[in-house]
Amino acid sequence: METMEIVDSSKLLKDQPSCYGTVRHTGTIISMEVTGYQRVQWRVILCHILTVLTVGILWVIFHWKPVLEVLVKCHPCHLSQSDWVIIKDSFNQQFVAKVWREEIEDDSFPHPVQPSDDENRINLAIGVLEDDWKDTIQLQKQEEKNVIRYYMFEGLRYIWIEKRQCFCKLSVLEETLTCGDIHRQQRGLSRHNQNSKRRVYGPNIIDVPVKSYFRLLIEEVLNPFYVFQIFSIILWITEQYYYYAGCILLISVISIGISLYQTRKQSVTLRDMVKLTVNVRIHRETGEEEMVNSQDLVPGDCIVIPEDGIQVPCDVVLLTGECMVNESMLTGESIPVMKTPLPDGDMYYSPEEHKRHTLFCGTEVLQSKTYNMDQQVVAVVVRTGFCTTKGELISSILYPKPLGFKFYKDAVKFIIFLATLALIGDIYSIVILERQKVSVGRLVKRVLDLITIIVPPALPAAMTVGTIYAQNRLKKHGIFCISPLRINICGKLKVICFDKTGTLTEGGLDVWGVVPVVNKTFEPIIHDIRHVSGPMLHALATCHSVTLLDNQPIGDPLDLKMIESTGWILTDEITNSDAVSKFGMKVVAIVKPPLLEEPSSGSQKQEMNLGILRRFPFASSLQRMSVIVKKPGNLPIEAYLKGAPEMIASLCIKETVPADFSEMLRYYARDGYRVLALAYKTLEDITFEAVHKLERNFVDSEVTFLGFLIMRNILKPETKPIIERLNRANFRTVMVTGDNMLTALNVARNCGMVGLNDRVIFTNASPPIRDKPACVKFLLSEPAPGQQNGTEQQQSGNNFLEQSSYHFALNGKSFAVVYDYFPDLLQKILIRGTVYARMAPNQKTQLVESLQKLEYSVGMCGDGANDCGALKAADAGISLSEAEASVASPFTSRIDNIECVPMVIREGRASLVTSFGVFKYMAMYSMIQFVSVLILYTINSNLGDWQYLYFDLVITTSVAVLMGRTGPAKELVAQRPVGSLINVSILGSLLLQTLLVILIQVLTYTVTTAQTWFVPLNGSSSNKLPNYENTALFCVSGFQYLILATVLSKGHPFRKPLYSNVLFLLSLILLYTLMVFLTLYPLQFVCQIMQLMLIADVKFKFLLLGFAALHFVTSLLFEGFIDSGLLNQCLRPLCKKKYSRKLYKRLEKELCQNSAWPPLDEVIYAESGRVVHFE
């Protein structure tokens, strides 16, 4: 950069390694390498000159390969001096980004008006480290101006930070924010600070680029596919194929027009779906309020949330009040979520950890409530634009990670192979045509013509036909797909992971009863909750996140069932003054008891109203929720807890937990009941203000155990048949849930994931403690109720493993230990792991990614926000949601049960097989025409204009378009379709069919020239048409196109039979009839148009039909030979025995051969891998 001093540059570059201009960024999701480049003026000028001299060819090459343009025009430099950067992501893809510079005012970054206690650490006006903030500014020595430098990549802004000597994501500036810092930003920003920050952060918009039609046209025309088309059309015109060239040009124009319309329509639709601009009220640093456009918001702004709700325009953290939020657009979760204020403290703010206090961009606040009548519901902006959670999801749609699917990679290799074949054909053509003394110009045209024949330009479009049909069929069944390329991947799925609650079981739970604790002893279960009293009843009535919207209770189905079972009524129809007079303070909601039918009976006294002061909503990581409740008058404030029994028990005063706690929990969980524990504590002498300053850890500690809430979690009626169907089709089904282990295990047995005679091995792992390393122990579970001789099996050690299947079951804590300390052991556990309980959302994602590392194709089906990460990570994520399109996963199903899973798999298999079929057909279409043309070149002839038109448009296009309409087979089979083109069956089929095509055409040519009436070619017209050789080859090759379309459209076992595709069947019948007509009885004017010879010999015509029939029968036999596996068996002796390429198959084989593994009741330490027996 011209304004940088040379001295500074040399200092920067001194003692740097050879790749001094490269910085590697790593993160939880992606890692990328950024290399800096500086423009060299003479190189730029030289490129402009070469572009003119090459008539724009160099410019087109640079358009295709922007990285090459940067390498040619620039030289490597330190990132601090770069004008351009080349970004290499974790998938080895390379991208180019321009480094932008913006001048900012000298006083843009003032010190805070009210400095904090530690002024050197935090800048309250900005909300980021002062040093990091100032490091985003570079002082340009020559002009003495402040300049910020940044580049844009996938919608995100990466800004230069001098201290780190690299470009960093804008979100880095907010990483050091603590919850206390965010609370101190409640006063808002001044206009000056807001404007200054906007220069760095940019506008608060998620900008989906919508290109103009002209720009789209230029980009489409410069696509290599269309450049090849333009080249081909020009070539055909020079060869006087005017009709053919005109038709292809017309089709290309229509195709481009449709493509432009669809591309722009999709961009506009996504932009409209994403675009969110609202007017919001914000606090100013001076204490004033101001209405601003949401595009002007920056981190640090404090916005007011209206009572009647708002569309959230960015990620904000709630500081006061409560909000009921609909997050279905982001998560697919249709149940509104309660958001509560962020606790004040020194802990670092994390969007994931504090998601229950964060209102995410794109979600809708249905209503807000304030705790204090003198206070507004306010929230502070923490992230804007593409840095928001919604922005990251939209970025993943606009810039999806590459699908590592072999089919697509192999297709490119195969096209290169066809091009190589064309080269061989060209050499043959040059030799033949040179002998015939053909002019150089004509020879060049013929050679180039072969290239346009062997590499079918319509191949990429034809391969997507099956996917488009599959996507439309899925849509009719209520399954929406935002990533069509993943449909083919669904055809290769091997492992399907399921969430439990709401996916395998009913979303709503039925209350079965409560098991109260009295005097440290469990009482008998009480089924009628109305007969419960005291703290247990109050906990059931208040410890929930239910709220009222239009006088209708909304919230988690479990909470709704729980409050319904008590008969208590939630209400907010009470004025602030009434609340203060009754409870002495403002309350969020009031829960009223049901009126007694006979209040004078004396058997039961009327319960009092309860006021909810504050809620701590349920968090997956904490496995609990809690509320603070006030009774009328001067009665003390109480806190109630509800959550996972193990978690609640750990927070209770030990003396209040019954000795038989674990036994009682096991008793109910083993029978498949959902068990929750309840507890409470009294908060003495505490004021309203103090209540809202309490930390959750204080509220959720030293509590008194109340008992269990028992809920029935019933399997959905469709679950068991679907799981059994998947098991029969040899799929591995896995349950991953946040519920209790024994409950999950019971559901797994009931739905068929774990067979009645299968044994379960618990994997218990402990993290390292002091000098003791992490360890794992495998424990055999108790026999299932249906199993016999459990004691005998227990005594026989590992012997039972040889006779029956076994499954691993482990909880989230054990999974975390095995994941961190036993990577080799993790692989073996994953091979047989079936039940994963008490799994946190991030652990679900880790599980999916770990299975993928074993080279499984993994599907994930879930219904809630906790599954979002796993749904995105899976090869095929299916979200059960009412939303028509959710960015939570590639597939969104309105079918609220797992029936959608086999449906997606069947469509995936059908689409994949169709793609292979169309690919093989298009390759064979090229080969048929290639062979015909090479034979005709020997007599210096070619196919006619209308002949090309007939073959390419009438036959091939109609066949390729209609072939993909065949629907999926009704049944799932154990066999999976091949996923690679480089495969014995695929290549064997293509090779045998090609040899057959050559044999039949050469036979046709030879027999034709041997006829008594045959007259050798002697004409001066273009291509010397018509002639007998051409006519005979036209008739036979016309049948070959149709024969291969028929043979390669076989349905079984992944698709319906060919006859089910009525349109395709009718088109084949029509085309076969037309070919018979053209062979036997062509009309005079048809012969003139098609440039065919009239052959009078009827026997010869029937002989041509005989050749076609011979081809049909032989072709069918070849395909049958390949499908039956005989080709593989024939080739097996010639091939060395190879290990399976798939890692999971090698591990499965190893486990099957090792009956002594796993070692039961033994401890495996992480340190040395040694095994120590328990005493």
Side-chain angles (χ1 to χ4, degrees):
M1 199 169 72
E2 301 94 70
T3 53
M4 289 292 290
E5 284 191 349
I6 303 297
V7 180
D8 282 352
S9 302
S10 61
K11 285 179 181 177
L12 285 172
L13 305 183
K14 196 170 80 172
D15 298 325
Q16 294 283 353
S18 58
C19 56
Y20 64 84
T22 301
V23 170
R24 187 181 294 278
H25 292 291
T26 57
T28 53
I29 301 172
I30 58 165
S31 64
M32 61 185 190
E33 197 175 281
V34 182
T35 309
Y37 287 85
Q38 194 171 45
R39 278 168 60 100
V40 179
Q41 197 61 37
W42 68 265
R43 290 190 184 186
V44 175
I45 294 168
L46 183 61
C47 285
H48 287 322
I49 294 169
L50 289 173
T51 301
V52 174
L53 293 175
T54 58
V55 200
I57 292 175
L58 184 65
W59 180 76
V60 172
I61 292 170
F62 285 162
H63 176 79
W64 290 344
K65 293 285 182 184
V67 172
L68 183 63
E69 182 179 10
V70 172
L71 293 173
V72 170
K73 292 183 177 179
C74 308
H75 70 83
C77 68
H78 194 274
L79 284 172
S80 62
Q81 299 170 301
S82 58
D83 300 313
W84 291 84
V85 291
I86 292 179
I87 302 155
K88 185 178 179 182
D89 67 9
S90 52
F91 305 104
N92 287 323
Q93 297 180 116
Q94 289 187 315
F95 304 91
V96 166
K98 179 178 172 59
V99 177
W100 299 93
R101 295 168 176 79
E102 278 192 24
E103 293 180 9
I104 50 176
E105 299 171 19
D106 293 339
D107 61 344
S108 287
F109 305 98
H111 290 285
V113 178
Q114 298 175 353
S116 60
D117 297 335
D118 187 358
E119 189 173 331
N120 292 327
R121 191 180 72 83
I122 196 77
N123 180 343
L124 289 185
I126 305 302
V128 298
L129 290 179
E130 180 70 14
D131 289 345
D132 278 358
W133 179 262
K134 287 183 176 178
D135 278 339
T136 62
I137 311 161
Q138 269 193 332
L139 193 65
Q140 306 306 311
K141 300 292 183 182
Q142 291 183 1
E143 299 178 13
E144 292 294 328
K145 289 181 181 178
N146 289 327
V147 172
I148 56 170
R149 301 174 66 247
Y150 64 90
Y151 66 83
M152 302 295 295
F153 179 60
E154 295 185 349
L156 292 169
R157 185 179 284 210
Y158 290 79
I159 197 160
W160 176 258
I161 293 183
E162 192 71 26
K163 186 167 66 178
R164 302 194 185 192
Q165 284 292 291
C166 66
F167 290 95
C168 298
K169 234 190 244 189
L170 271 176
S171 53
V172 167
L173 299 175
E174 310 295 332
E175 278 179 358
T176 52
L177 277 177
T178 66
C179 296
D181 296 334
I182 294 174
H183 270 276
R184 287 190 286 275
Q185 292 178 32
Q186 191 168 337
R187 61 199 174 123
L189 298 174
S190 67
R191 287 189 188 88
H192 187 81
N193 279 356
Q194 188 189 50
N195 291 334
S196 302
K197 292 188 77 174
R198 199 178 305 118
R199 300 295 297 273
V200 175
Y201 285 93
N204 173 39
I205 51 173
I206 299 173
D207 187 23
V208 176
V210 178
K211 297 171 184 174
S212 67
Y213 277 114
F214 179 74
R215 186 175 173 187
L216 284 172
L217 177 65
I218 296 297
E219 290 183 359
E220 194 77 15
V221 169
L222 291 178
N223 183 301
F225 164 70
Y226 283 112
V227 170
F228 184 65
Q229 282 280 49
I230 292 166
F231 162 75
S232 301
I233 289 167
I234 294 169
L235 179 66
W236 296 328
I237 289 171
T238 61
E239 292 192 80
Q240 299 176 6
Y241 289 123
Y242 300 122
Y243 294 113
Y244 183 70
C247 285
I248 296 298
L249 179 62
L250 180 64
I251 290 169
S252 297
V253 169
I254 293 170
S255 174
I256 288 174
I258 293 171
S259 177
L260 294 186
Y261 173 74
Q262 291 288 354
T263 303
R264 186 173 166 82
K265 183 184 175 184
Q266 287 172 2
S267 298
V268 170
T269 302
L270 186 60
R271 183 192 63 187
D272 293 344
M273 185 177 84
V274 167
K275 190 177 180 181
L276 176 58
T277 304
V278 294
N279 289 326
V280 292
R281 190 174 295 281
I282 63 170
H283 285 178
R284 285 293 181 205
E285 202 173 37
T286 56
E288 302 171 343
E289 286 188 3
E290 183 181 337
M291 190 69 77
V292 299
N293 190 289
S294 59
Q295 291 189 13
D296 296 331
L297 293 175
V298 294
D301 273 326
C302 182
I303 69 171
V304 179
I305 309 293
E307 281 188 20
D308 57 349
I310 189 177
Q311 284 274 101
V312 185
C314 50
D315 286 0
V316 297
V317 176
L318 193 63
L319 298 187
T320 60
E322 278 183 356
C323 291
M324 185 57 74
V325 184
N326 177 4
E327 295 187 332
S328 61
M329 190 271 175
L330 286 187
T331 65
E333 176 66 77
S334 55
I335 300 165
V337 180
M338 174 68 75
K339 302 285 184 173
T340 56
L342 180 77
D344 199 347
D346 293 332
M347 74 285 286
Y348 285 113
Y349 167 74
S350 161
E352 181 58 37
E353 188 179 339
H354 297 103
K355 65 181 179 182
R356 286 292 185 176
H357 316 296
T358 306
L359 309 179
F360 295 105
C361 178
T363 61
E364 182 182 5
V365 176
L366 302 175
Q367 67 178 22
S368 67
K369 291 182 181 178
T370 177
Y371 297 134
N372 191 329
M373 62 191 81
D374 300 325
Q375 198 177 44
Q376 295 173 314
V377 179
V378 297
V380 166
V381 177
V382 286
R383 294 185 300 183
T384 58
F386 272 100
C387 290
T388 62
T389 303
K390 178 184 175 182
E392 289 172 358
L393 288 171
I394 298 302
S395 181
S396 70
I397 294 172
L398 291 173
Y399 314 101
K401 67 179 183 180
L403 299 173
F405 196 39
K406 273 192 116 180
F407 175 62
Y408 301 122
K409 294 177 183 174
D410 291 347
V412 175
K413 292 177 186 175
F414 199 81
I415 289 171
I416 294 169
F417 167 73
L418 290 177
T420 308
L421 209 58
L423 190 63
I424 296 168
D426 284 341
I427 295 167
Y428 169 80
S429 303
I430 291 168
V431 173
I432 292 293
L433 296 171
E434 186 65 35
R435 285 180 182 175
Q436 298 175 16
K437 309 295 181 183
V438 174
S439 66
V440 175
R442 190 169 182 77
L443 192 146
V444 170
K445 289 177 187 176
R446 288 283 167 87
V447 166
L448 293 175
D449 205 19
L450 275 181
I451 297 171
T452 67
I453 290 169
I454 194 81
V455 182
L459 183 60
M463 283 169 60
T464 62
V465 167
T467 305
I468 293 167
Y469 283 127
Q471 187 178 8
N472 288 335
R473 285 194 296 265
L474 285 171
K475 192 172 182 179
K476 287 177 183 175
H477 287 101
I479 302 169
F480 302 91
C481 176
I482 61 169
S483 180
L485 288 177
R486 288 187 185 265
I487 293 175
N488 276 356
I489 294 175
C490 292
K492 292 295 291 177
L493 293 180
K494 176 66 178 173
V495 176
I496 315 292
C497 299
F498 294 96
D499 179 37
K500 182 180 75 69
T501 309
T503 304
L504 297 173
T505 61
E506 297 287 356
L509 303 168
D510 292 325
V511 175
W512 182 243
V514 293
V515 183
V517 170
V518 178
N519 297 326
K520 305 177 191 174
T521 306
F522 282 110
E523 294 285 299
I525 188 169
I526 301 172
H527 291 292
D528 190 347
I529 308 301
R530 295 168 192 262
H531 293 160
V532 180
S533 60
M536 172 64 91
L537 177 63
H538 297 163
L540 294 169
T542 61
C543 195
H544 53 73
S545 58
V546 176
T547 189
L548 294 174
L549 183 64
D550 298 329
N551 293 322
Q552 293 296 317
I554 56 171
D556 190 287
L558 184 150
D559 288 342
L560 290 169
K561 284 283 185 183
M562 184 180 76
I563 193 172
E564 181 188 324
S565 69
T566 64
W568 286 53
I569 301 162
L570 181 72
T571 180
D572 56 3
E573 293 178 358
I574 185 166
T575 62
N576 291 333
S577 56
D578 287 343
V580 172
S581 63
K582 282 188 177 182
F583 297 99
M585 56 186 71
K586 175 83 166 63
V587 295
V588 176
I590 293 173
V591 189
K592 294 181 178 180
L595 292 172
L596 296 177
E597 293 179 6
E598 298 178 7
S600 59
S601 62
S603 61
Q604 189 178 0
K605 64 178 184 177
Q606 177 68 43
E607 289 281 353
M608 64 187 79
N609 292 351
L610 300 174
I612 299 173
L613 298 177
R614 188 178 178 190
R615 292 183 174 110
F616 295 99
F618 175 81
S620 301
S621 56
L622 301 176
Q623 298 180 343
R624 65 182 184 272
M625 76 159 294
S626 50
V627 292
I628 300 176
V629 174
K630 180 73 173 71
K631 295 176 182 176
N634 295 322
L635 293 171
I637 294 173
E638 292 177 332
Y640 295 101
L641 276 73
K642 176 187 72 183
E646 305 91 337
M647 177 56 72
I648 298 297
S650 69
L651 301 171
C652 288
I653 301 167
K654 287 185 179 179
E655 291 74 20
T656 66
V657 181
D660 58 345
F661 169 87
S662 298
E663 186 181 335
M664 186 65 70
L665 173 60
R666 193 179 298 112
Y667 172 78
Y668 284 105
R670 191 170 54 195
D671 288 340
Y673 291 105
R674 176 84 180 271
V675 184
L676 297 173
L678 299 158
Y680 87 110
K681 74 186 291 186
T682 302
L683 303 172
E684 301 285 353
D685 302 325
I686 189 165
T687 63
F688 174 78
E689 289 74 19
V691 163
H692 293 281
K693 291 180 180 177
L694 285 176
E695 291 189 7
R696 185 166 190 166
N697 289 340
F698 171 77
V699 176
D700 297 355
S701 62
E702 297 296 310
V703 291
T704 301
F705 189 75
L706 288 173
F708 290 143
L709 169 64
I710 312 295
M711 308 195 84
R712 282 191 304 179
N713 204 187
I714 305 164
L715 274 181
K716 290 181 179 178
E718 301 84 4
T719 297
K720 189 172 183 179
I722 297 297
I723 296 295
E724 288 175 347
R725 188 177 173 189
L726 292 171
N727 288 341
R728 283 197 303 271
N730 203 24
F731 283 91
R732 271 198 61 205
T733 50
V734 172
M735 183 192 298
V736 49
T737 177
D739 208 343
N740 176 278
M741 171 60 79
L742 294 174
T743 304
L745 194 52
N746 178 273
V747 172
R749 286 195 186 278
N750 289 339
C751 73
M753 281 189 186
V754 176
L756 288 175
N757 295 318
D758 295 350
R759 298 308 303 268
V760 175
I761 299 171
F762 291 122
T763 305
N764 290 344
S766 303
I769 304 171
R770 299 186 185 90
D771 298 331
K772 186 179 176 183
C775 60
V776 172
K777 184 181 179 185
F778 297 105
L779 299 170
L780 195 58
S781 71
E782 297 175 8
Q787 288 177 323
Q788 302 298 320
N789 303 324
T791 310
E792 293 173 17
Q793 286 186 341
Q794 188 86 19
Q795 291 171 349
S796 65
N798 285 6
N799 294 339
F800 82 93
L801 298 179
E802 300 173 17
Q803 296 147 8
S804 65
S805 299
Y806 65 93
H807 306 260
F808 287 120
L810 60 163
N811 60 25
K813 288 181 180 177
S814 295
F815 178 81
V817 173
V818 175
Y819 186 85
D820 290 335
Y821 299 99
F822 298 90
D824 295 335
L825 202 58
L826 176 66
Q827 292 184 340
K828 293 183 178 180
I829 291 170
L830 290 173
I831 293 293
R832 296 288 174 90
T834 302
V835 179
Y836 299 85
R838 293 284 186 234
M839 295 284 278
N842 66 310
Q843 289 179 321
K844 292 182 180 183
T845 308
Q846 288 174 345
L847 173 64
V848 168
E849 290 172 345
S850 298
L851 287 167
Q852 288 171 327
K853 286 175 184 175
L854 296 183
E855 298 177 63
Y856 279 118
S857 290
V858 184
M860 173 74 195
C861 184
D863 73 321
N866 292 338
D867 306 316
C868 273
L871 289 169
K872 295 290 283 185
D875 295 294
I878 308 170
S879 172
L880 307 184
S881 171
E882 287 296 317
E884 180 170 316
S886 165
V887 291
S889 64
F891 296 91
T892 305
S893 171
R894 281 186 174 176
I895 305 169
D896 67 344
N897 58 66
I898 62 171
E899 279 183 336
C900 58
V901 174
M903 206 175 290
V904 168
I905 293 170
R906 288 190 300 112
E907 288 291 358
R909 288 182 169 186
S911 174
L912 184 58
V913 171
T914 298
S915 296
F916 273 106
V918 171
F919 186 91
K920 285 164 68 176
Y921 175 73
M922 294 300 288
M924 288 310 303
Y925 142 74
S926 295
M927 291 306 300
I928 293 167
Q929 206 165 85
F930 182 64
V931 172
S932 299
V933 170
L934 278 182
I935 293 172
L936 290 172
Y937 275 6
T938 59
I939 57 169
N940 195 14
S941 184
N942 202 340
L943 292 173
D945 194 353
W946 283 94
Q947 290 173 358
Y948 274 122
L949 208 57
Y950 175 72
F951 286 149
D952 286 8
L953 297 186
V954 178
I955 293 183
T956 305
T957 304
S958 58
V959 163
V961 168
L962 296 175
M963 189 187 281
R965 289 191 75 255
T966 309
K970 289 185 178 179
E971 286 304 315
L972 280 175
V973 294
Q975 177 189 352
R976 289 195 302 162
V978 293
S980 169
L981 282 169
I982 313 301
N983 179 282
V984 172
S985 60
I986 300 290
L987 294 180
S989 170
L990 288 172
L991 181 63
L992 290 175
Q993 297 292 359
T994 302
L995 289 174
L996 185 58
V997 165
I998 295 170
L999 181 66
I1000 296 294
Q1001 289 201 29
V1002 169
L1003 183 63
T1004 302
Y1005 176 79
T1006 307
V1007 170
T1008 303
T1009 56
Q1011 296 302 307
T1012 55
W1013 42 259
F1014 172 75
V1015 178
L1017 180 64
N1018 184 20
S1020 57
S1021 63
S1022 175
N1023 294 327
K1024 300 183 179 180
L1025 293 175
N1027 58 68
Y1028 287 113
E1029 298 96 323
N1030 170 278
T1031 303
L1033 286 173
F1034 171 83
C1035 294
V1036 170
S1037 63
F1039 280 111
Q1040 287 181 326
Y1041 293 117
L1042 298 174
I1043 289 165
L1044 285 166
T1046 308
V1047 170
L1048 297 177
S1049 293
K1050 62 181 184 297
H1052 185 77
F1054 306 113
R1055 293 191 297 175
K1056 290 178 180 177
L1058 185 148
Y1059 59 78
S1060 66
N1061 188 346
V1062 178
L1063 283 177
F1064 182 51
L1065 182 63
L1066 290 175
S1067 69
L1068 282 177
I1069 292 169
L1070 187 65
L1071 290 168
Y1072 272 120
T1073 306
L1074 187 58
M1075 277 312 304
V1076 170
F1077 165 74
L1078 287 172
T1079 305
L1080 296 178
Y1081 309 108
L1083 298 175
Q1084 181 70 36
F1085 80 92
V1086 173
C1087 287
Q1088 288 176 354
I1089 292 172
M1090 302 297 290
Q1091 294 179 288
L1092 298 174
M1093 290 286 284
L1094 276 171
I1095 300 173
D1097 190 345
V1098 177
K1099 287 183 180 179
F1100 177 75
K1101 292 179 181 179
F1102 276 103
L1103 183 62
L1104 294 180
L1105 291 181
F1107 287 157
L1110 175 65
H1111 188 161
F1112 186 78
V1113 172
T1114 312
S1115 186
L1116 274 177
L1117 288 173
F1118 279 167
E1119 287 300 306
F1121 173 70
I1122 291 164
D1123 288 343
S1124 63
L1126 289 173
L1127 181 63
N1128 285 342
Q1129 290 177 20
C1130 293
L1131 295 175
R1132 196 168 291 157
L1134 303 175
C1135 303
K1136 292 180 181 178
K1137 193 172 182 180
K1138 291 183 179 179
Y1139 289 106
S1140 172
R1141 291 182 181 179
K1142 298 285 187 184
L1143 178 57
Y1144 74 84
K1145 288 184 178 179
R1146 298 200 298 271
L1147 289 168
E1148 277 177 355
K1149 189 175 181 181
E1150 185 184 323
L1151 289 180
C1152 290
Q1153 292 173 347
N1154 186 2
S1155 59
W1157 197 89
L1160 300 178
D1161 297 318
E1162 298 175 355
V1163 182
I1164 302 174
Y1165 287 101
E1167 197 171 42
S1168 59
R1170 58 196 172 90
V1171 179
V1172 180
H1173 288 269
F1174 274 118
E1175 295 296 336

